[in-house]
Coordinates of all heavy atoms in Angstrom, one line a residue:
T827 N 65.7 22.3 45.9 CA 64.7 22.7 46.8 C 65.4 23.4 48.0 O 66.4 22.9 48.5 CB 63.9 21.5 47.3 OG1 63.3 20.9 46.2 CG2 62.8 21.9 48.3
Y828 N 64.8 24.5 48.4 CA 65.4 25.3 49.6 C 64.3 25.4 50.6 O 63.1 25.6 50.3 CB 65.8 26.7 49.2 CG 66.9 26.7 48.2 CD1 66.7 26.8 46.8 CD2 68.2 26.6 48.7 CE1 67.8 26.8 45.9 CE2 69.3 26.7 47.8 CZ 69.1 26.8 46.4 OH 70.1 26.8 45.6
F829 N 64.7 25.3 51.8 CA 63.8 25.5 53.0 C 64.3 26.7 53.8 O 65.5 26.7 54.1 CB 63.7 24.3 53.9 CG 63.0 23.1 53.3 CD1 63.6 22.1 52.8 CD2 61.6 23.1 53.3 CE1 63.0 21.0 52.2 CE2 60.9 22.0 52.7 CZ 61.6 21.0 52.2
I830 N 63.5 27.6 54.1 CA 63.9 28.7 54.9 C 63.1 28.6 56.2 O 61.9 28.6 56.2 CB 63.6 30.1 54.2 CG1 64.4 30.2 52.9 CG2 63.9 31.2 55.1 CD1 64.1 31.4 52.1
L831 N 63.9 28.5 57.3 CA 63.3 28.4 58.6 C 63.6 29.8 59.3 O 64.8 30.1 59.4 CB 63.9 27.3 59.4 CG 63.8 25.9 58.7 CD1 64.6 24.9 59.5 CD2 62.3 25.5 58.5
Q832 N 62.6 30.4 59.8 CA 62.8 31.7 60.5 C 62.2 31.6 61.9 O 61.1 31.2 62.1 CB 62.1 32.8 59.7 CG 62.3 34.1 60.3 CD 61.6 35.2 59.4 OE1 61.3 35.0 58.3 NE2 61.5 36.4 60.0
F833 N 63.0 32.0 62.8 CA 62.6 32.0 64.2 C 62.9 33.3 64.9 O 63.9 34.0 64.6 CB 63.4 30.9 65.0 CG 63.3 29.5 64.4 CD1 64.1 29.0 63.5 CD2 62.2 28.7 64.8 CE1 64.0 27.8 63.0 CE2 62.1 27.5 64.3 CZ 63.0 27.0 63.4
A834 N 62.0 33.7 65.8 CA 62.2 34.9 66.5 C 63.5 34.8 67.4 O 64.3 35.7 67.5 CB 61.0 35.3 67.4
S835 N 63.7 33.6 68.0 CA 64.9 33.3 68.7 C 65.0 31.8 68.9 O 64.0 31.1 68.8 CB 64.8 34.0 70.1 OG 63.8 33.4 70.9
L836 N 66.2 31.4 69.1 CA 66.5 30.0 69.4 C 67.4 29.9 70.7 O 68.4 30.6 70.8 CB 67.2 29.3 68.3 CG 66.4 29.0 67.0 CD1 67.4 28.5 65.9 CD2 65.4 27.9 67.3
T837 N 67.0 29.1 71.6 CA 67.8 28.9 72.8 C 69.1 28.1 72.4 O 69.1 27.4 71.4 CB 67.0 28.2 73.9 OG1 66.8 26.8 73.4 CG2 65.7 28.9 74.2
P838 N 70.1 28.2 73.2 CA 71.3 27.3 73.0 C 70.9 25.8 73.0 O 71.5 25.1 72.2 CB 72.2 27.7 74.2 CG 71.8 29.1 74.6 CD 70.3 29.1 74.3
Q839 N 70.0 25.4 73.8 CA 69.5 24.0 73.8 C 68.9 23.7 72.5 O 69.2 22.6 72.0 CB 68.5 23.8 75.0 CG 68.1 22.4 75.1 CD 67.1 22.2 76.3 OE1 66.5 23.1 76.7 NE2 67.1 21.0 76.8
Q840 N 68.1 24.5 71.9 CA 67.5 24.2 70.6 C 68.6 24.2 69.5 O 68.5 23.4 68.6 CB 66.5 25.3 70.2 CG 65.2 25.3 71.1 CD 64.3 26.5 70.9 OE1 64.8 27.6 70.8 NE2 63.0 26.3 70.8
Q841 N 69.6 25.0 69.6 CA 70.7 25.0 68.6 C 71.5 23.8 68.7 O 72.3 23.5 67.8 CB 71.5 26.3 68.8 CG 70.8 27.5 68.5 CD 71.6 28.8 68.7 OE1 72.8 28.7 68.7 NE2 70.9 29.9 68.9
Q842 N 71.5 23.0 69.8 CA 72.2 21.8 70.0 C 71.4 20.6 69.6 O 71.8 19.4 69.7 CB 72.7 21.6 71.4 CG 73.7 22.7 71.8 CD 75.0 22.7 70.9 OE1 75.5 21.7 70.6 NE2 75.4 23.9 70.5
S843 N 70.1 20.8 69.2 CA 69.2 19.7 68.9 C 69.6 19.0 67.6 O 70.3 19.6 66.7 CB 67.8 20.2 68.8 OG 67.6 21.0 67.7
K844 N 69.2 17.8 67.4 CA 69.6 17.0 66.2 C 69.0 17.7 64.9 O 69.7 17.8 63.9 CB 69.0 15.6 66.3 CG 69.8 14.8 67.3 CD 69.3 13.3 67.3 CE 70.0 12.5 68.3 NZ 69.6 11.1 68.3
W845 N 67.8 18.2 65.0 CA 67.2 18.8 63.8 C 67.9 20.0 63.3 O 68.2 20.3 62.2 CB 65.7 19.1 63.9 CG 65.4 20.2 64.9 CD1 65.1 20.0 66.2 CD2 65.3 21.6 64.6 NE1 64.9 21.3 66.8 CE2 65.0 22.2 65.8 CE3 65.6 22.3 63.5 CZ2 64.9 23.6 65.9 CZ3 65.5 23.7 63.6 CH2 65.1 24.3 64.8
F846 N 68.4 20.8 64.3 CA 69.1 22.1 64.0 C 70.5 21.8 63.5 O 70.9 22.3 62.5 CB 69.2 23.0 65.3 CG 69.9 24.3 65.0 CD1 69.1 25.4 64.5 CD2 71.2 24.4 65.1 CE1 69.7 26.6 64.2 CE2 71.8 25.7 64.9 CZ 71.1 26.7 64.4
M847 N 71.1 20.8 64.1 CA 72.5 20.5 63.7 C 72.4 19.9 62.3 O 73.3 20.1 61.4 CB 73.1 19.5 64.7 CG 73.4 20.3 66.0 SD 74.0 19.2 67.3 CE 75.7 19.2 66.9
A848 N 71.4 19.1 61.9 CA 71.2 18.5 60.6 C 71.0 19.6 59.6 O 71.6 19.6 58.5 CB 70.1 17.5 60.6
A849 N 70.1 20.6 59.9 CA 69.9 21.7 59.0 C 71.1 22.5 58.8 O 71.4 22.9 57.7 CB 68.8 22.6 59.6
E850 N 71.9 22.7 59.8 CA 73.1 23.5 59.7 C 74.2 22.8 58.9 O 74.9 23.4 58.1 CB 73.7 23.7 61.1 CG 74.9 24.7 61.2 CD 75.3 25.0 62.6 OE1 75.2 24.1 63.5 OE2 75.6 26.1 62.9
E851 N 74.2 21.4 59.0 CA 75.2 20.6 58.2 C 74.8 20.6 56.7 O 75.7 20.7 55.9 CB 75.2 19.2 58.8 CG 76.2 18.3 58.1 CD 76.2 16.9 58.7 OE1 76.2 16.8 59.9 OE2 76.1 15.9 57.9
K852 N 73.5 20.6 56.4 CA 73.1 20.5 55.0 C 72.9 21.8 54.4 O 72.8 21.9 53.1 CB 71.7 19.7 55.0 CG 71.7 18.3 55.5 CD 72.4 17.4 54.6 CE 72.3 16.0 55.1 NZ 73.1 15.1 54.3
G853 N 72.8 22.9 55.1 CA 72.6 24.2 54.5 C 73.4 25.3 55.2 O 74.6 25.1 55.5
A854 N 72.8 26.4 55.4 CA 73.5 27.5 56.0 C 72.6 28.1 57.1 O 71.4 28.2 56.9 CB 73.8 28.6 54.9
V855 N 73.2 28.5 58.1 CA 72.5 29.2 59.2 C 72.9 30.7 59.2 O 74.1 31.0 59.3 CB 72.8 28.6 60.6 CG1 72.2 29.4 61.7 CG2 72.3 27.1 60.6
I856 N 72.0 31.6 59.1 CA 72.3 33.0 59.1 C 71.6 33.6 60.4 O 70.4 33.5 60.5 CB 71.8 33.7 57.8 CG1 72.5 33.0 56.6 CG2 72.0 35.2 57.9 CD1 71.9 33.4 55.3
V857 N 72.4 34.2 61.2 CA 71.8 34.8 62.5 C 71.7 36.3 62.2 O 72.6 36.9 61.7 CB 72.8 34.5 63.6 CG1 72.2 35.1 64.9 CG2 73.0 33.0 63.8
H858 N 70.5 36.8 62.6 CA 70.2 38.2 62.4 C 69.6 38.7 63.6 O 68.6 38.1 64.1 CB 69.3 38.3 61.2 CG 68.9 39.7 61.0 ND1 67.9 40.3 61.7 CD2 69.3 40.7 60.1 CE1 67.7 41.6 61.3 NE2 68.6 41.8 60.3
W859 N 70.1 39.8 64.1 CA 69.5 40.5 65.3 C 68.8 41.8 64.8 O 69.4 42.6 64.1 CB 70.5 40.8 66.3 CG 71.1 39.6 67.0 CD1 70.6 39.0 68.1 CD2 72.3 39.0 66.7 NE1 71.4 37.9 68.4 CE2 72.4 37.9 67.6 CE3 73.2 39.1 65.7 CZ2 73.5 37.0 67.5 CZ3 74.3 38.2 65.6 CH2 74.4 37.2 66.5
A860 N 67.6 41.9 65.2 CA 66.8 43.1 64.8 C 67.4 44.3 65.5 O 67.9 44.3 66.7 CB 65.4 43.0 65.2
L861 N 67.5 45.5 64.8 CA 68.0 46.7 65.4 C 66.9 47.3 66.3 O 65.7 47.4 65.9 CB 68.3 47.7 64.3 CG 69.5 47.4 63.4 CD1 69.6 48.4 62.3 CD2 70.8 47.3 64.2
N862 N 67.3 47.8 67.5 CA 66.3 48.5 68.2 C 66.3 50.0 67.8 O 67.2 50.4 67.0 CB 66.6 48.4 69.8 CG 67.9 49.0 70.2 OD1 68.3 50.0 69.7 ND2 68.5 48.3 71.1
R863 N 65.4 50.7 68.2 CA 65.2 52.1 67.7 C 66.4 53.0 67.9 O 66.9 53.7 67.1 CB 64.0 52.7 68.4 CG 63.6 54.1 67.8 CD 62.3 54.5 68.3 NE 61.9 55.8 67.8 CZ 61.4 56.0 66.6 NH1 61.3 55.1 65.7 NH2 61.1 57.3 66.2
L864 N 67.0 52.9 69.1 CA 68.2 53.7 69.4 C 69.4 53.3 68.5 O 70.1 54.2 68.0 CB 68.6 53.5 70.9 CG 69.8 54.3 71.3 CD1 69.6 55.8 71.1 CD2 70.1 54.0 72.8
T865 N 69.6 52.0 68.4 CA 70.7 51.5 67.5 C 70.5 52.0 66.1 O 71.5 52.4 65.4 CB 70.8 50.0 67.6 OG1 71.0 49.6 69.0 CG2 72.0 49.5 66.8
F866 N 69.3 51.8 65.6 CA 69.0 52.2 64.2 C 69.2 53.7 64.1 O 69.8 54.2 63.0 CB 67.6 51.8 63.8 CG 67.2 52.2 62.4 CD1 67.9 51.6 61.4 CD2 66.2 53.0 62.1 CE1 67.6 51.9 60.0 CE2 65.9 53.4 60.8 CZ 66.6 52.8 59.8
S867 N 68.7 54.5 65.0 CA 68.9 56.0 65.0 C 70.4 56.3 64.9 O 70.8 57.2 64.1 CB 68.3 56.7 66.2 OG 66.9 56.5 66.2
K868 N 71.2 55.7 65.7 CA 72.7 55.9 65.6 C 73.3 55.5 64.3 O 74.1 56.2 63.8 CB 73.4 55.2 66.8 CG 73.1 55.8 68.1 CD 73.8 55.0 69.2 CE 73.6 55.6 70.6 NZ 74.3 54.9 71.6
W869 N 72.8 54.4 63.8 CA 73.3 53.9 62.5 C 73.0 55.0 61.4 O 73.8 55.3 60.6 CB 72.6 52.6 62.1 CG 73.1 52.0 60.9 CD1 74.2 51.2 60.7 CD2 72.6 52.2 59.5 NE1 74.4 50.9 59.4 CE2 73.4 51.5 58.6 CE3 71.5 52.9 59.0 CZ2 73.1 51.5 57.3 CZ3 71.2 52.9 57.7 CH2 72.0 52.2 56.8
V870 N 71.7 55.5 61.4 CA 71.3 56.5 60.4 C 72.2 57.8 60.6 O 72.7 58.3 59.6 CB 69.8 56.9 60.5 CG1 69.5 58.1 59.7 CG2 69.0 55.7 60.1
A871 N 72.4 58.2 61.8 CA 73.2 59.4 62.1 C 74.6 59.2 61.6 O 75.2 60.1 61.0 CB 73.2 59.7 63.6
N872 N 75.2 58.0 61.8 CA 76.6 57.7 61.4 C 76.6 57.7 59.9 O 77.6 58.2 59.3 CB 77.0 56.4 61.9 CG 77.4 56.5 63.4 OD1 77.6 57.5 63.9 ND2 77.4 55.3 64.1
R873 N 75.6 57.1 59.2 CA 75.6 57.1 57.7 C 75.5 58.5 57.2 O 76.2 58.8 56.2 CB 74.5 56.2 57.3 CG 74.4 56.0 55.8 CD 75.6 55.3 55.2 NE 75.6 54.0 55.6 CZ 75.7 52.9 54.9 NH1 75.7 53.1 53.6 NH2 75.8 51.7 55.4
L874 N 74.7 59.3 57.7 CA 74.6 60.7 57.3 C 75.9 61.4 57.5 O 76.3 62.2 56.6 CB 73.5 61.4 58.1 CG 72.1 61.1 57.8 CD1 71.1 61.6 58.8 CD2 71.7 61.6 56.4
Q875 N 76.6 61.2 58.6 CA 77.9 61.8 58.8 C 78.9 61.4 57.8 O 79.7 62.2 57.3 CB 78.3 61.5 60.2 CG 79.6 62.3 60.7 CD 80.0 62.0 62.1 OE1 79.4 61.1 62.8 NE2 80.9 62.8 62.6
E876 N 78.9 60.1 57.5 CA 79.9 59.5 56.5 C 79.7 60.2 55.2 O 80.6 60.4 54.4 CB 79.7 58.0 56.4 CG 80.2 57.2 57.5 CD 79.8 55.7 57.4 OE1 79.2 55.3 56.4 OE2 80.1 55.0 58.4
M877 N 78.4 60.5 54.8 CA 78.1 61.1 53.5 C 78.2 62.6 53.6 O 77.8 63.3 52.6 CB 76.7 60.7 53.1 CG 76.5 59.2 52.9 SD 77.4 58.5 51.6 CE 76.5 59.1 50.2
E878 N 78.6 63.1 54.7 CA 78.7 64.6 55.0 C 77.4 65.3 54.7 O 77.4 66.4 54.1 CB 79.9 65.1 54.1 CG 81.2 64.5 54.5 CD 82.4 65.0 53.6 OE1 82.1 65.9 52.7 OE2 83.5 64.6 53.8
I879 N 76.3 64.7 55.2 CA 75.0 65.3 55.1 C 74.6 65.8 56.5 O 74.6 65.0 57.5 CB 74.0 64.3 54.6 CG1 74.4 63.9 53.2 CG2 72.6 64.9 54.6 CD1 73.6 62.7 52.6
R880 N 74.3 67.1 56.6 CA 73.9 67.6 57.9 C 72.4 67.8 57.9 O 71.9 68.6 57.0 CB 74.6 68.9 58.2 CG 76.1 68.7 58.4 CD 76.8 70.0 58.6 NE 78.2 69.8 58.8 CZ 79.1 69.6 57.8 NH1 78.7 69.5 56.6 NH2 80.4 69.4 58.1
L881 N 71.7 67.2 58.8 CA 70.2 67.4 59.0 C 70.0 67.8 60.4 O 70.7 67.3 61.4 CB 69.5 66.1 58.7 CG 69.6 65.5 57.3 CD1 68.8 64.2 57.2 CD2 69.0 66.5 56.3
D882 N 68.9 68.5 60.7 CA 68.6 68.8 62.0 C 68.0 67.6 62.7 O 67.6 66.6 62.0 CB 67.6 70.1 62.1 CG 66.3 69.8 61.4 OD1 65.8 68.7 61.4 OD2 65.8 70.8 60.8
R883 N 67.8 67.6 64.0 CA 67.4 66.5 64.7 C 66.0 66.0 64.3 O 65.8 64.8 64.2 CB 67.3 66.8 66.2 CG 67.0 65.7 67.1 CD 67.0 66.1 68.6 NE 68.2 66.8 68.9 CZ 69.1 66.4 69.8 NH1 68.8 65.3 70.5 NH2 70.1 67.1 70.1
D884 N 65.1 66.9 64.0 CA 63.7 66.5 63.6 C 63.8 65.8 62.2 O 63.0 64.9 62.0 CB 62.8 67.7 63.5 CG 62.4 68.3 64.8 OD1 62.6 67.5 65.8 OD2 62.0 69.5 64.9
S885 N 64.6 66.3 61.3 CA 64.7 65.6 60.0 C 65.3 64.2 60.1 O 64.9 63.3 59.4 CB 65.6 66.5 59.1 OG 65.0 67.7 58.9
V886 N 66.3 64.1 61.0 CA 66.9 62.7 61.2 C 65.8 61.8 61.8 O 65.6 60.7 61.3 CB 68.1 62.8 62.1 CG1 68.6 61.4 62.5 CG2 69.2 63.6 61.5
Q887 N 65.0 62.3 62.7 CA 64.0 61.5 63.3 C 62.9 61.1 62.3 O 62.4 60.0 62.3 CB 63.3 62.3 64.5 CG 62.5 61.4 65.4 CD 63.3 60.2 65.9 OE1 64.4 60.4 66.5 NE2 62.8 59.0 65.8
L888 N 62.6 62.0 61.4 CA 61.6 61.8 60.3 C 62.2 60.7 59.4 O 61.4 59.7 59.0 CB 61.4 63.0 59.5 CG 60.3 62.9 58.4 CD1 59.0 62.6 59.0 CD2 60.3 64.2 57.6
L889 N 63.4 60.7 59.1 CA 64.1 59.7 58.3 C 64.0 58.3 59.0 O 63.7 57.3 58.4 CB 65.5 60.0 57.9 CG 66.3 59.1 57.1 CD1 65.6 58.8 55.8 CD2 67.7 59.6 56.9
V890 N 64.3 58.3 60.3 CA 64.3 57.1 61.1 C 62.9 56.5 61.1 O 62.6 55.3 60.9 CB 64.8 57.3 62.5 CG1 64.5 56.2 63.4 CG2 66.3 57.6 62.4
D891 N 61.9 57.4 61.3 CA 60.5 57.0 61.4 C 60.0 56.4 60.0 O 59.3 55.4 60.0 CB 59.6 58.1 61.9 CG 59.8 58.5 63.3 OD1 60.4 57.7 64.1 OD2 59.4 59.6 63.7
H892 N 60.4 57.1 59.0 CA 59.9 56.8 57.6 C 60.5 55.4 57.2 O 59.8 54.7 56.5 CB 60.4 57.9 56.7 CG 60.0 57.6 55.2 ND1 58.8 57.6 54.8 CD2 60.8 57.4 54.2 CE1 58.8 57.3 53.5 NE2 60.0 57.2 53.1
T893 N 61.7 55.1 57.6 CA 62.3 53.9 57.1 C 62.1 52.7 58.0 O 62.4 51.6 57.7 CB 63.8 54.1 56.8 OG1 64.4 54.6 58.0 CG2 64.0 55.0 55.6
E894 N 61.6 53.0 59.2 CA 61.1 51.9 60.1 C 62.1 50.8 60.4 O 61.8 49.6 60.4 CB 59.8 51.3 59.7 CG 58.7 52.3 59.5 CD 57.4 51.7 59.0 OE1 57.5 50.6 58.3 OE2 56.3 52.3 59.3
G895 N 63.4 51.1 60.6 CA 64.4 50.1 60.9 C 64.9 49.4 59.7 O 65.7 48.4 59.9
N896 N 64.6 49.8 58.5 CA 65.0 49.1 57.3 C 66.3 49.8 56.8 O 66.3 50.9 56.3 CB 63.9 49.2 56.2 CG 64.3 48.5 55.0 OD1 65.4 48.4 54.6 ND2 63.3 48.0 54.3
C897 N 67.4 49.2 57.1 CA 68.7 49.8 56.7 C 68.9 50.0 55.2 O 69.4 51.1 54.8 CB 69.9 48.9 57.2 SG 70.0 48.8 59.0
L898 N 68.4 49.1 54.4 CA 68.5 49.3 53.0 C 67.7 50.6 52.5 O 68.2 51.4 51.8 CB 68.0 48.1 52.2 CG 68.0 48.2 50.7 CD1 69.3 48.6 50.1 CD2 67.4 47.0 50.1
A899 N 66.4 50.7 53.0 CA 65.6 51.9 52.7 C 66.3 53.1 53.2 O 66.3 54.1 52.5 CB 64.2 51.7 53.3
A900 N 66.8 53.1 54.4 CA 67.4 54.3 55.0 C 68.7 54.7 54.1 O 68.9 55.9 53.8 CB 67.8 54.1 56.4
S901 N 69.4 53.7 53.7 CA 70.6 53.9 52.9 C 70.3 54.5 51.6 O 70.9 55.4 51.1 CB 71.4 52.6 52.8 OG 72.6 52.8 52.0
Q902 N 69.2 54.0 51.0 CA 68.7 54.6 49.7 C 68.3 56.0 49.8 O 68.6 56.9 49.0 CB 67.6 53.7 49.1 CG 68.1 52.4 48.7 CD 67.0 51.4 48.3 OE1 65.9 51.6 48.7 NE2 67.3 50.4 47.5
E903 N 67.6 56.3 50.9 CA 67.1 57.7 51.1 C 68.3 58.6 51.4 O 68.4 59.8 50.9 CB 66.2 57.8 52.3 CG 64.8 57.1 52.1 CD 64.0 57.7 51.0 OE1 64.2 58.9 50.7 OE2 63.2 57.0 50.4
I904 N 69.3 58.2 52.1 CA 70.5 59.0 52.3 C 71.3 59.2 51.0 O 71.8 60.3 50.8 CB 71.4 58.3 53.4 CG1 70.6 58.4 54.8 CG2 72.8 58.9 53.5 CD1 71.2 57.5 55.9
A905 N 71.3 58.1 50.2 CA 72.0 58.3 48.9 C 71.2 59.3 48.0 O 71.9 60.1 47.3 CB 72.0 57.0 48.1
R906 N 69.9 59.4 48.1 CA 69.2 60.4 47.4 C 69.5 61.8 47.9 O 69.6 62.7 47.1 CB 67.7 60.1 47.5 CG 67.2 59.0 46.7 CD 65.7 58.9 46.7 NE 65.3 57.6 46.2 CZ 64.4 56.8 46.7 NH1 63.8 57.1 47.8 NH2 64.1 55.7 46.1
L907 N 69.6 61.9 49.2 CA 70.0 63.2 49.8 C 71.4 63.6 49.4 O 71.6 64.8 49.1 CB 69.9 63.1 51.3 CG 68.5 63.0 51.9 CD1 68.6 62.7 53.4 CD2 67.7 64.3 51.7
A908 N 72.2 62.6 49.3 CA 73.6 63.0 48.8 C 73.6 63.4 47.4 O 74.3 64.4 47.0 CB 74.5 61.7 48.9
C909 N 72.7 62.9 46.5 CA 72.6 63.3 45.1 C 72.0 64.8 45.1 O 72.5 65.6 44.3 CB 71.7 62.4 44.3 SG 72.4 60.8 44.0
L910 N 71.1 65.0 45.9 CA 70.5 66.4 46.0 C 71.6 67.4 46.4 O 71.7 68.5 45.9 CB 69.3 66.5 46.9 CG 68.1 65.7 46.4 CD1 67.0 65.7 47.5 CD2 67.5 66.4 45.2
K911 N 72.4 67.0 47.4 CA 73.5 67.8 47.9 C 74.5 68.1 46.8 O 74.9 69.3 46.6 CB 74.2 67.1 49.1 CG 75.3 67.9 49.6 CD 76.0 67.1 50.7 CE 77.4 67.6 50.9 NZ 78.3 66.7 51.4
T912 N 74.8 67.1 46.0 CA 75.7 67.3 44.9 C 75.2 68.2 43.8 O 75.9 69.0 43.3 CB 76.1 65.9 44.3 OG1 76.6 65.1 45.3 CG2 77.1 66.0 43.2
D913 N 73.9 68.0 43.5 CA 73.2 68.8 42.5 C 73.2 70.3 42.9 O 73.2 71.2 42.0 CB 71.8 68.3 42.2 CG 71.8 67.0 41.5 OD1 72.9 66.6 41.0 OD2 70.8 66.3 41.4
N914 N 73.0 70.6 44.2 CA 72.9 72.0 44.6 C 74.2 72.6 45.0 O 74.2 73.8 45.4 CB 71.9 72.0 45.8 CG 70.5 71.7 45.4 OD1 70.1 71.9 44.3 ND2 69.8 71.1 46.3
S915 N 75.3 71.9 44.9 CA 76.6 72.5 45.3 C 77.1 73.4 44.3 O 76.9 73.4 43.1 CB 77.6 71.4 45.5 OG 77.2 70.6 46.6

């Protein structure tokens, strides 16, 4: 049996509580911070640059808007663009 507890945030005091420490001892705690729009846009731009894909600013913004902060979805779209680039070379 697995329990998944998800919180928007936990204070340091909550993380020192008995219930949290017991959960951490018996299972795994995975901390995840949501990407803000600027950070996600930079991540997409860096990924495009790594794949040597050049898009104009509007196209990058469309990709950012379309994938809504989902790094996996953005990565998959960039991989598709890389395939198209390879096919057209």
Side-chain angles (χ1 to χ4, degrees):
T827 302
Y828 295 95
F829 290 100
I830 297 175
L831 306 172
Q832 182 177 344
F833 301 93
S835 65
L836 285 173
T837 65
Q839 185 179 23
Q840 290 170 320
Q841 293 177 26
Q842 296 300 318
S843 66
K844 288 182 181 181
W845 68 266
F846 183 87
M847 293 173 84
E850 188 174 37
E851 184 179 313
K852 300 286 183 188
V855 173
I856 300 170
V857 179
H858 176 281
W859 291 275
L861 292 174
N862 64 38
R863 186 168 179 80
L864 179 61
T865 304
F866 182 62
S867 294
K868 288 181 180 180
W869 183 88
V870 168
N872 287 339
R873 181 63 66 124
L874 287 165
Q875 186 176 13
E876 288 172 5
M877 300 294 287
E878 298 179 359
I879 299 171
R880 290 177 184 78
L881 297 178
D882 61 35
R883 187 180 307 243
D884 289 340
S885 297
V886 173
Q887 195 57 52
L888 183 63
L889 179 59
V890 168
D891 292 342
H892 177 68
T893 54
E894 299 178 338
N896 183 330
C897 292
L898 177 59
S901 182
Q902 290 172 338
E903 293 297 333
I904 292 167
R906 284 188 195 133
L907 290 171
C909 288
L910 290 172
K911 177 183 161 207
T912 303
D913 289 346
N914 292 329
S915 295

